[in-house]
Amino acid sequence: MHAAFFLLLGASVARFLLRHPGEPRTPWVIALSIALALLYVLGPAVGATQPPATDTRATRATGATGAARATHPPSRLLWLGLVVATWVVLVVLAPSFAWCAVPLFFTALRTLPPRAAIVLVALLTVFVVIAQLRLATAFDPNLLLAPPAVAALATAVFVHMERQAQAQRALIDDLIRTRRELAATERREGTLAERQRLSMEIHDTLAQNLSSQQMLLQAADRTWETDQATARAHVRTATGIAARGLAEARRLVHDLAPAELAGGAGLADALRALDAGPDIEVRFHLEGSPAPLPDRVQSALLRIAQGALANIREHSGARTAALTLSFLGDQVVLDIADDGHGFAEPRAATAQRGHGLPAMRARVRQLGGTLTIESTPGEGTVLSAAIPLEPAP
């Protein structure tokens, strides 16, 4: 549509110069043509079209199919008024510029509310008809019928496109909401399934073992004074059951540990294997002399790294991320840095990022450590988790 406007404007200028060379109005026509072109070019700078907020439920309930109503700043309306006024003056001086109104139809329909836009299109159409009749040497019905037909076609095409865009926005909103609901449902089902599995495991192993121990110890207590040999046998049997229960409890705890740390894999290897998606390069650095870490410390640092990489992927716009694991003797420090756009107010950014950062702080706090975040707009973000270690014997 922009190309059509400038093509019609250039053709009108060329037609005027060829048919009316050297007339007193020629400088005014050229100046107004340049002004109209500049005003049209400045259109995007004074406020772009803002798509309307789509209420899918209201659209379905009312069956509305009309064009969506866009919102525009006052400067956009002022710009449209200047464009139309310049074009009107230009057509008064040179009626051949009338057909430049066709692209202006779409501009009016995009900028104004539907009723006001249709009124403006009708006025422009009347002006085009008058201009064409001025140019004609004899009455021609086509000059009276063609402009309204073109205006009606342009309006119908625009309204149809707006309806399609509104339906597409509603469909996209439905798809996004359905995807979120499906993801939440799957998470709930997964949580319930895991809780059921754990409850069955605990009932079938630990609870049964504890029940057996209770019965054996009660039997030993009853026979301790009369039959010490039997009582000691009950105690030995209860001790064996307790040992098996302890082994089973350790197995359950091991099953709940991160899969990346299963099979004796160290924290460094698990961090080295992490990634943040195909568009982000993740680098790992190890500093200091590695020392054995408690399982809960390894698990917490791995989960923090995974959460930080997820935040980098979703929010930072970064291309690279660096993970640095440092052993400093009395503490272990994990730094996650990215080259994203950063943010100016860490507290506000933390509040907007859901449960990721609060969960990280909770993990570090449970281990007596600290979590710090440093960020500068345009220079990325650095997240640092420091956890103290017990001194070696």
Side-chain angles (χ1 to χ4, degrees):
M1 199 53 55
H2 297 330
F5 173 80
F6 287 106
L7 180 62
L8 291 171
L9 182 63
S12 300
V13 172
R15 183 181 186 277
F16 177 82
L17 293 178
L18 289 174
R19 296 197 176 189
H20 308 280
E23 290 191 5
R25 56 178 173 165
T26 299
W28 289 102
V29 170
I30 295 176
L32 288 172
S33 299
I34 296 174
L36 182 60
L38 292 177
L39 283 172
Y40 196 88
V41 169
L42 291 176
V46 295
T49 303
Q50 301 294 328
T54 303
D55 190 339
T56 307
R57 292 172 297 179
T59 301
R60 284 198 295 259
T62 60
T65 57
R69 182 170 180 173
T71 58
H72 300 274
S75 58
R76 179 79 175 180
L77 302 178
L78 177 61
W79 167 82
L80 178 62
L82 290 175
V83 169
V84 172
T86 304
W87 173 81
V88 167
V89 176
L90 192 58
V91 173
V92 170
L93 293 176
S96 59
F97 286 84
W99 284 107
C100 293
V102 176
L104 296 182
F105 292 163
F106 287 93
T107 303
L109 290 167
R110 290 183 60 193
T111 304
L112 298 175
R115 293 183 179 178
I118 292 175
V119 171
L120 180 58
V121 168
L123 293 177
L124 294 178
T125 303
V126 171
F127 203 75
V128 170
V129 171
I130 295 174
Q132 293 300 306
L133 291 177
R134 284 179 55 193
L135 284 176
T137 57
F139 178 76
D140 187 351
N142 289 330
L143 300 179
L144 190 61
L145 299 177
V150 172
L153 179 62
T155 304
V157 169
F158 178 83
V159 171
H160 178 68
M161 290 191 302
E162 281 296 307
R163 288 176 177 176
Q164 285 188 327
Q166 185 179 9
Q168 186 178 22
R169 285 192 294 267
L171 177 61
I172 291 174
D173 290 342
D174 284 340
L175 290 175
I176 292 175
R177 183 172 60 254
T178 302
R179 185 175 63 180
R180 289 175 178 172
E181 292 175 353
L182 180 60
T185 301
E186 290 178 347
R187 284 195 297 269
R188 287 194 298 268
E189 291 179 352
T191 301
L192 293 175
E194 183 64 14
R195 288 179 178 176
Q196 184 178 7
R197 185 188 71 84
L198 287 176
S199 65
M200 293 172 60
E201 290 275 354
I202 293 173
H203 175 269
D204 295 339
T205 57
L206 299 181
Q208 294 293 345
N209 289 339
L210 290 173
S211 178
S212 299
Q213 292 175 51
Q214 182 183 24
M215 294 175 59
L216 289 168
L217 292 175
Q218 289 175 348
D221 182 64
R222 288 193 300 268
T223 59
W224 190 263
E225 299 295 336
T226 59
D227 190 353
Q228 292 189 359
T230 302
R232 289 191 179 93
H234 290 330
V235 172
R236 287 194 295 271
T237 303
T239 302
I241 294 175
R244 291 194 297 272
L246 178 60
E248 187 65 27
R250 288 173 175 170
R251 185 188 67 81
L252 289 175
V253 172
H254 181 270
D255 290 343
L256 293 175
E260 294 84 355
L261 298 174
L267 177 61
D269 294 333
L271 293 175
R272 189 178 286 109
L274 293 179
D275 67 83
D279 298 329
I280 302 177
E281 179 185 1
V282 180
R283 303 168 184 170
F284 174 74
H285 306 279
L286 180 63
E287 296 183 358
S289 300
L293 297 176
D295 291 341
R296 59 176 186 165
V297 173
Q298 295 190 70
S299 178
L301 291 178
L302 179 61
R303 294 306 189 205
I304 290 172
Q306 290 172 330
L309 290 178
N311 281 346
I312 291 173
R313 179 176 60 253
E314 296 176 7
H315 304 289
S316 72
R319 294 296 183 88
T320 60
L323 278 66
T324 304
L325 181 64
S326 305
F327 290 88
L328 305 178
D330 60 342
Q331 65 177 350
V332 58
V333 180
L334 176 63
D335 297 316
I336 302 102
D338 66 73
D339 60 353
H341 48 65
F343 46 85
E345 299 181 2
R347 292 184 180 178
T350 301
Q352 294 175 357
R353 293 196 177 193
H355 302 288
L357 290 177
M360 296 180 197
R361 294 188 187 278
R363 291 180 186 276
V364 174
R365 192 182 304 115
Q366 290 174 357
L367 297 173
T370 57
L371 182 74
T372 58
I373 303 173
E374 298 179 1
S375 182
T376 303
E379 297 184 8
T381 303
V382 178
L383 183 147
S384 180
I387 297 178
L389 300 177
E390 295 181 1

